[in-house]
Amino acid sequence: MARNKETLLLLLDVGPSMHSVLPEVERVCSLLVGKKLIYSKYDEVGVILFGTEDTKNELTEEVGGYQHVVVLRDTKVVDGDLVEALQQLPRGTRDGDFLDAIIVGMDILIKKFGETDKKKKRICLITNALCPIKDSFEGTKEGQVITIAEQMAEHGMGMESIVVRGRLAGDANKRIMEENDVLLNIFSQKTCAKLVYVESPTSLFGALRTRNISPVTIFRGDLELSSKMKIKVWVYKKTSEEKFPTLKKYSDKAPPTDKFATHEVKVDYEYRSVEDTSKVVPPEGRIKGYRYGPQVVPIAPSEWDAVKFKPEKSVKLLGFTDAKNILRHFYMKDVNVFIADPGNTRAILAVSALARAMKEKNKVAIVRCVWRNGQGSVVVGVLTPNVSDKDNTPDSFYFNVLPFAEDVREFQFPSFNNFPSSWQPNEQQQEAADNLVKMLDLAPSGKEEALQPNFTPNPVLERFYRYLELKSKHPDAAVPPLDETLKKMTEPDPEVLSQNKSVIDAFRRNFELKENPKLKKSTRRFLQEKPSGSKEGEGCGDIAAQSVDSIKDTSVVKVENIGNLTPVQDFENMMSRRDGPEWIGKAIKDMKKRIFDLVEDSFEGDNYPKALECLVALRKGCILEQEPKHFNDFLHHLCKFCQKNNLNCFCEFLASKELTLISKTEAIDSEVTDDEARSFLVKSEPKT
């Protein structure tokens, strides 16, 4: 039997006020049982309905009362029949009393397990809590609820209350609704209970915990602040990606009459010699090899074991830093939570004091972690304080793994500030964009936030589970269309779009919307950025525009040299080549030579415009490839060459077109400031 076997009782309100949401309740409850068939096939589930016309429960027969409560199915191991029963829930005709249903459910669990059996027992209540609760024969309703909660805690029962409100609460009696909320809150305070309010079918899918995952520590030991100061901590996973269930190889060769056939497929691998395919190579004749250039370096298991780093299990504090220094995009992998050893009062106080001090100082801790002995890797991560606002919940830390230098991807992108003003949005366009963003706000004031991570299930997984359940009954069933509830998680809300049609139309009017054709690689790269310092509509701007037009319809050719006829296009094609690392350097080198030739061979400045085109293309390419030093050094060298060879008129021509050095604002690797870039050609002009 499974170690983490659970017994779950579903208490479902089927009264008239719940009829509009019962289809979603049917889906989510049948999905819960379907998941248990995959992950927890030994779990037991029972179903109790309240708000029904009929009455069917043992307490009514034994002591009377508890009307309109029906035990649809007693607790037993999950099966396909239960899935079908939950997909066709009866519609009740009476107001549901959730307190009666809770008592009937407790009675079933106590009779089944007694007072000493501490197996996992959970009650899940789904209701809108809009109907009145009958008065207690003795004492108050609050006193009755406290007594029930104490009994639940004594018998080790957990409780989960999901209150579906939303539009249902519009015409409800506020006094009754508030009274029921108070009663449900008592359960969450007095026992191991969770109370959740949801307003949409999507949130309902996420609110019900469809898979029971037992908490397992990944580390138990000391958080070492120093060699003489240690705190006992436990570490659990806080978030971890849920993946598809493992698919196994299945064989249909077993006899149909064999009920105990596992249908498992055993796979054996056999290695044979290349020279003699009939010769089997035994394990001792095989060795792993790693590529190192053109050769393969063999490394024996004993050698590889000696090379491995084998640190001891530990969590050590390296130091503290300001929280602003740890950027959000540094976080890697899953999130863990550090808590103090639950049975160690001194550890609880120490963790609380440390967390509150870090919170007050706005600091985070950097720690080095080896979760277990023999672990081949070490992680360095950040501890963020999590100060609790509840008296019965201790303070803790959240842990995120930080990257090493090899894990960081440093991609440099050009700044939007370098675009010409004609490419910047005007006030009307900015206002239209602002309104569009506000329209699609997922957390509008006065409404429940949509797509909350805690309440939003993975639509891909949900669809898989539903299809798996359908396939179990009908092997030839086709894949059904996407469910409307799941569609709301993957597409914009149609109601919001229809209500804000004017905002969308205004956005369309302010922006020219047209089909985006698939550009050639060289054209995309060329269009990315315009050189700073160039005037719009003239000079370099005209040259860039002409160059783009000239290459727009030209297919990308693998150019290997920059020719005399179309040097700019040849340069762009060489820069866009990705079949080898040498092409960018060769393109820059060849373009420098071509510019020198054009300037030197010029007669009365006839080659100056073409040389300027090449300079503009070279400047743009060096910015995109983060090679500002190549261009800046070349421009210095070119101006000195012109001054030595009586070609000062070319420097004057460049100054008139305001072509400058590449500054730090354009490329982060540049050593030239904006002022130095602007004054370069002014200084280079000869005195007259």
Side-chain angles (χ1 to χ4, degrees):
M1 300 296 285
R3 181 184 63 178
N4 297 320
K5 177 181 173 182
E6 177 191 56
T7 300
L8 171 66
L9 263 180
L10 294 172
L11 312 183
L12 308 179
D13 188 349
V14 295
S17 61
M18 283 286 290
H19 286 183
S20 61
V21 296
L22 278 182
E24 281 74 28
V25 174
E26 290 172 338
R27 290 194 196 97
V28 72
C29 291
S30 59
L31 181 64
L32 178 146
V33 177
K35 281 191 180 181
K36 285 187 176 294
L37 285 170
I38 300 172
Y39 297 107
S40 309
K41 59 184 179 181
Y42 297 113
D43 281 7
E44 296 182 353
V45 176
V47 181
I48 297 175
L49 308 180
F50 59 100
T52 57
E53 180 66 33
D54 301 329
T55 301
K56 183 184 176 184
N57 63 80
E58 291 185 1
L59 278 181
T60 301
E61 299 172 2
E62 294 172 0
V63 298
Y66 305 101
Q67 297 294 314
H68 311 298
V69 178
V70 171
V71 179
L72 183 67
R73 169 176 161 137
D74 210 341
T75 56
K76 64 178 182 178
V77 176
V78 291
D79 54 28
D81 294 338
L82 178 58
V83 176
E84 291 185 5
L86 288 170
Q87 290 174 341
Q88 300 175 354
L89 293 176
R91 272 42 177 176
T93 58
R94 300 300 183 105
D95 290 343
D97 188 326
F98 64 81
L99 209 53
D100 280 354
I102 292 173
I103 296 172
V104 171
M106 287 179 59
D107 178 66
I108 291 174
L109 294 178
I110 292 173
K111 288 177 179 176
K112 183 178 181 68
F113 295 104
E115 298 185 1
T116 58
D117 195 331
K118 297 299 181 182
K119 289 181 180 178
K120 293 182 180 179
K121 301 178 284 288
R122 182 162 62 106
I123 293 174
C124 180
L125 170 68
I126 301 180
T127 180
N128 53 20
L130 300 180
C131 302
I133 302 300
K134 294 190 291 292
D135 292 328
S136 174
F137 292 109
E138 297 179 2
T140 62
K141 296 178 183 178
E142 289 80 1
Q144 184 185 14
V145 170
I146 291 173
T147 303
I148 296 172
E150 290 174 349
Q151 286 291 313
M152 290 178 68
E154 183 179 338
H155 289 85
M157 299 180 193
M159 181 172 169
E160 196 173 348
S161 302
I162 300 175
V163 181
V164 186
R165 288 278 168 82
R167 297 176 181 175
L168 300 178
D171 301 326
N173 187 315
K174 300 297 181 183
R175 183 188 62 79
I176 294 175
M177 189 166 60
E178 291 174 0
E179 181 183 61
N180 290 341
D181 289 347
V182 170
L183 298 179
L184 290 172
N185 269 310
I186 293 175
F187 281 110
S188 61
Q189 294 170 4
K190 298 292 183 180
T191 185
C192 182
K194 176 184 175 184
L195 176 61
V196 178
Y197 290 88
V198 298
E199 296 184 5
S200 65
T202 304
S203 299
L204 176 61
F205 272 85
L208 181 59
R209 193 178 67 215
T210 54
R211 185 182 174 194
N212 186 36
I213 300 177
S214 299
V216 178
T217 56
I218 62 173
F219 176 86
R220 294 191 186 191
D222 296 329
L223 169 58
E224 300 181 26
L225 306 183
S226 68
S227 58
K228 298 182 179 180
M229 187 183 301
K230 302 177 182 180
I231 305 174
K232 294 289 184 183
V233 294
W234 290 9
V235 182
Y236 293 91
K237 279 189 176 294
K238 181 63 177 176
T239 62
S240 182
E241 180 185 1
E242 180 79 0
K243 298 181 180 179
F244 280 98
T246 304
L247 297 177
K248 298 180 179 179
K249 290 182 172 60
Y250 175 88
S251 172
D252 59 356
K253 299 299 182 183
T257 56
D258 187 356
K259 296 182 179 180
F260 301 100
T262 60
H263 298 279
E264 292 182 359
V265 177
K266 184 179 179 181
V267 181
D268 290 325
Y269 292 93
E270 196 173 70
Y271 296 84
R272 296 180 179 270
S273 172
V274 177
E275 289 80 9
D276 184 5
T277 55
S278 63
K279 181 181 178 181
V280 177
V281 181
E284 60 271 14
R286 303 193 300 263
I287 189 172
K288 287 187 176 181
Y290 296 86
R291 289 199 172 276
Y292 189 75
Q295 62 180 329
V296 176
V297 180
I299 299 180
S302 57
E303 296 172 326
W304 182 239
D305 192 56
V307 169
K308 284 183 178 179
F309 180 50
K310 299 178 181 178
E312 294 182 356
K313 172 184 173 181
S314 63
V315 174
K316 297 183 178 181
L317 175 70
L318 300 181
F320 298 94
T321 185
D322 292 337
K324 65 181 180 181
N325 294 335
I326 307 299
L327 304 180
R328 178 63 185 84
H329 62 266
F330 286 163
Y331 292 172
M332 299 176 63
K333 299 184 179 179
D334 304 328
V335 182
N336 298 334
V337 59
F338 277 59
I339 65 170
D341 183 344
N344 191 325
T345 305
R346 297 173 64 185
I348 294 173
L349 291 175
V351 167
S352 179
L354 186 60
R356 291 173 185 270
M358 290 167 60
K359 183 80 172 179
E360 182 180 348
K361 300 292 184 180
N362 198 25
K363 298 283 186 178
V364 294
I366 308 299
V367 292
R368 167 191 179 276
C369 301
V370 180
W371 303 123
R372 61 186 181 276
N373 288 322
Q375 179 177 322
S377 61
V378 177
V379 295
V380 173
V382 56
L383 287 181
T384 305
N386 175 38
V387 178
S388 173
D389 56 356
K390 297 180 179 179
D391 295 336
N392 57 349
T393 304
D395 299 330
S396 58
F397 294 101
Y398 289 134
F399 173 83
N400 291 90
V401 176
L402 294 178
F404 292 106
E406 294 83 356
D407 304 321
V408 177
R409 301 291 182 264
E410 288 290 354
F411 298 125
Q412 298 293 336
F413 300 101
S415 171
F416 287 115
N417 294 329
N418 295 329
F419 288 150
S421 58
S422 61
W423 291 11
Q424 305 286 346
N426 56 38
E427 292 185 4
Q428 291 180 339
Q429 291 175 327
Q430 188 62 57
E431 183 181 0
D434 292 344
N435 292 334
L436 183 69
V437 173
K438 293 176 184 177
M439 178 197 81
L440 295 174
D441 185 5
L442 294 177
S445 59
K447 293 185 178 180
E448 178 191 44
E449 180 183 353
L451 301 180
Q452 296 182 58
N454 287 344
F455 298 146
T456 305
N458 185 333
V460 177
L461 288 174
E462 298 300 306
R463 192 174 192 218
F464 168 77
Y465 292 130
R466 293 185 187 185
Y467 182 60
L468 188 62
E469 186 269 329
L470 177 64
K471 195 80 171 173
S472 68
K473 299 175 183 175
H474 309 287
D476 299 327
V479 178
L482 189 65
D483 183 83
E484 289 298 323
T485 305
L486 298 181
K487 193 178 290 186
K488 291 180 180 179
M489 305 175 198
T490 58
E491 298 178 2
D493 189 346
E495 185 177 346
V496 173
L497 295 180
S498 62
Q499 291 175 353
N500 295 273
K501 188 175 182 300
S502 59
V503 176
I504 299 173
D505 293 340
F507 185 82
R508 286 176 175 169
R509 286 194 303 270
N510 281 280
F511 292 91
E512 182 184 359
L513 301 180
K514 57 184 180 182
E515 185 178 354
N516 184 20
K518 188 175 181 181
L519 299 176
K520 299 292 186 289
K521 186 181 291 185
S522 60
T523 309
R524 273 204 308 270
R525 292 171 58 79
F526 197 85
L527 286 172
Q528 291 210 9
E529 186 180 8
K530 182 179 179 180
S532 68
S534 61
K535 291 184 178 180
E536 292 182 292
E538 67 177 89
C540 304
D542 290 341
I543 295 166
Q546 293 165 10
S547 302
V548 171
D549 292 337
S550 66
I551 66 174
K552 185 174 291 184
D553 298 320
T554 304
S555 61
V556 178
V557 181
K558 289 189 176 181
V559 178
E560 297 184 357
N561 295 291
I562 295 178
N564 294 326
L565 186 61
T566 56
V568 172
Q569 294 181 32
D570 295 343
F571 175 75
E572 290 293 327
N573 287 332
M574 287 181 69
M575 293 288 282
S576 64
R577 288 188 64 166
R578 288 296 179 264
D579 54 341
E582 71 277 3
W583 292 110
I584 292 176
K586 188 177 187 306
I588 294 174
K589 180 180 177 181
D590 288 359
M591 182 57 92
K592 291 178 181 178
K593 184 177 182 302
R594 180 61 54 205
I595 293 170
F596 262 117
D597 292 343
L598 288 170
V599 175
E600 195 172 13
D601 297 341
S602 179
F603 177 72
E604 295 183 355
D606 59 340
N607 286 342
Y608 288 177
K610 192 169 185 178
L612 178 62
E613 286 185 41
C614 294
L615 268 173
V616 170
L618 177 63
R619 187 180 194 279
K620 187 181 297 292
C622 288
I623 291 175
L624 293 175
E625 297 297 338
Q626 289 297 308
E627 298 287 354
K629 188 171 177 17
H630 278 286
F631 179 81
N632 292 342
D633 291 348
F634 173 70
L635 194 57
H636 277 287
H637 182 56
L638 181 63
C639 289
K640 290 179 181 178
F641 171 81
C642 291
Q643 291 172 4
K644 289 181 181 179
N645 293 276
N646 295 322
L647 295 173
N648 291 327
C649 53
F650 181 67
C651 294
E652 295 172 5
F653 178 71
L654 295 182
S656 67
K657 299 301 181 181
E658 297 187 3
L659 188 133
T660 67
L661 299 171
I662 299 175
S663 65
K664 279 184 175 293
T665 57
E666 297 174 285
I668 195 170
D669 294 335
S670 176
E671 299 176 355
V672 179
T673 64
D674 290 343
D675 293 338
E676 290 172 344
R678 283 192 295 268
S679 63
F680 169 69
L681 283 176
V682 176
K683 292 179 181 178
S684 300
E685 290 179 10
K687 294 183 179 180
T688 57

Tab-separated table of all heavy atoms in Angstrom, residues 48 151 196 247 316 324 676:
chain	number	residue	atom	x	y	z
A	48	ILE	N	-20.348	13.633	-0.410
A	48	ILE	CA	-21.572	13.988	0.322
A	48	ILE	C	-22.173	15.220	-0.345
A	48	ILE	O	-21.475	16.213	-0.580
A	48	ILE	CB	-21.274	14.272	1.806
A	48	ILE	CG1	-20.740	13.013	2.498
A	48	ILE	CG2	-22.512	14.790	2.514
A	48	ILE	CD1	-20.319	13.252	3.944
A	151	GLN	N	-12.993	18.832	17.769
A	151	GLN	CA	-13.110	17.404	17.479
A	151	GLN	C	-12.306	17.037	16.226
A	151	GLN	O	-11.661	15.989	16.168
A	151	GLN	CB	-14.588	17.029	17.280
A	151	GLN	CG	-15.400	16.983	18.563
A	151	GLN	CD	-14.982	15.808	19.437
A	151	GLN	OE1	-14.837	14.678	18.978
A	151	GLN	NE2	-14.771	16.073	20.719
A	196	VAL	N	-10.615	29.526	1.253
A	196	VAL	CA	-10.311	30.212	0.002
A	196	VAL	C	-11.606	30.732	-0.605
A	196	VAL	O	-12.603	30.010	-0.674
A	196	VAL	CB	-9.608	29.270	-1.004
A	196	VAL	CG1	-9.354	29.991	-2.316
A	196	VAL	CG2	-8.306	28.749	-0.434
A	247	LEU	N	5.407	8.351	-19.151
A	247	LEU	CA	4.820	7.359	-20.049
A	247	LEU	C	5.731	6.130	-20.091
A	247	LEU	O	6.949	6.262	-20.239
A	247	LEU	CB	4.656	7.942	-21.449
A	247	LEU	CG	3.701	9.136	-21.566
A	247	LEU	CD1	3.694	9.666	-22.980
A	247	LEU	CD2	2.290	8.723	-21.167
A	316	LYS	N	26.372	27.297	4.223
A	316	LYS	CA	27.232	28.280	4.874
A	316	LYS	C	26.922	29.686	4.387
A	316	LYS	O	26.756	29.918	3.187
A	316	LYS	CB	28.705	27.955	4.600
A	316	LYS	CG	29.152	26.617	5.181
A	316	LYS	CD	30.636	26.378	4.958
A	316	LYS	CE	31.073	25.051	5.580
A	316	LYS	NZ	32.515	24.794	5.413
A	324	LYS	N	18.692	45.349	-3.489
A	324	LYS	CA	18.654	45.904	-4.856
A	324	LYS	C	19.774	45.348	-5.735
A	324	LYS	O	19.705	45.448	-6.962
A	324	LYS	CB	18.759	47.426	-4.796
A	324	LYS	CG	20.088	47.930	-4.249
A	324	LYS	CD	20.137	49.442	-4.195
A	324	LYS	CE	21.488	49.925	-3.652
A	324	LYS	NZ	21.545	51.405	-3.574
A	676	GLU	N	33.105	64.101	-26.113
A	676	GLU	CA	34.279	63.804	-26.942
A	676	GLU	C	33.869	63.417	-28.356
A	676	GLU	O	34.538	63.796	-29.335
A	676	GLU	CB	35.084	62.662	-26.308
A	676	GLU	CG	35.790	63.056	-25.019
A	676	GLU	CD	36.412	61.863	-24.316
A	676	GLU	OE1	36.045	60.714	-24.655
A	676	GLU	OE2	37.254	62.071	-23.444
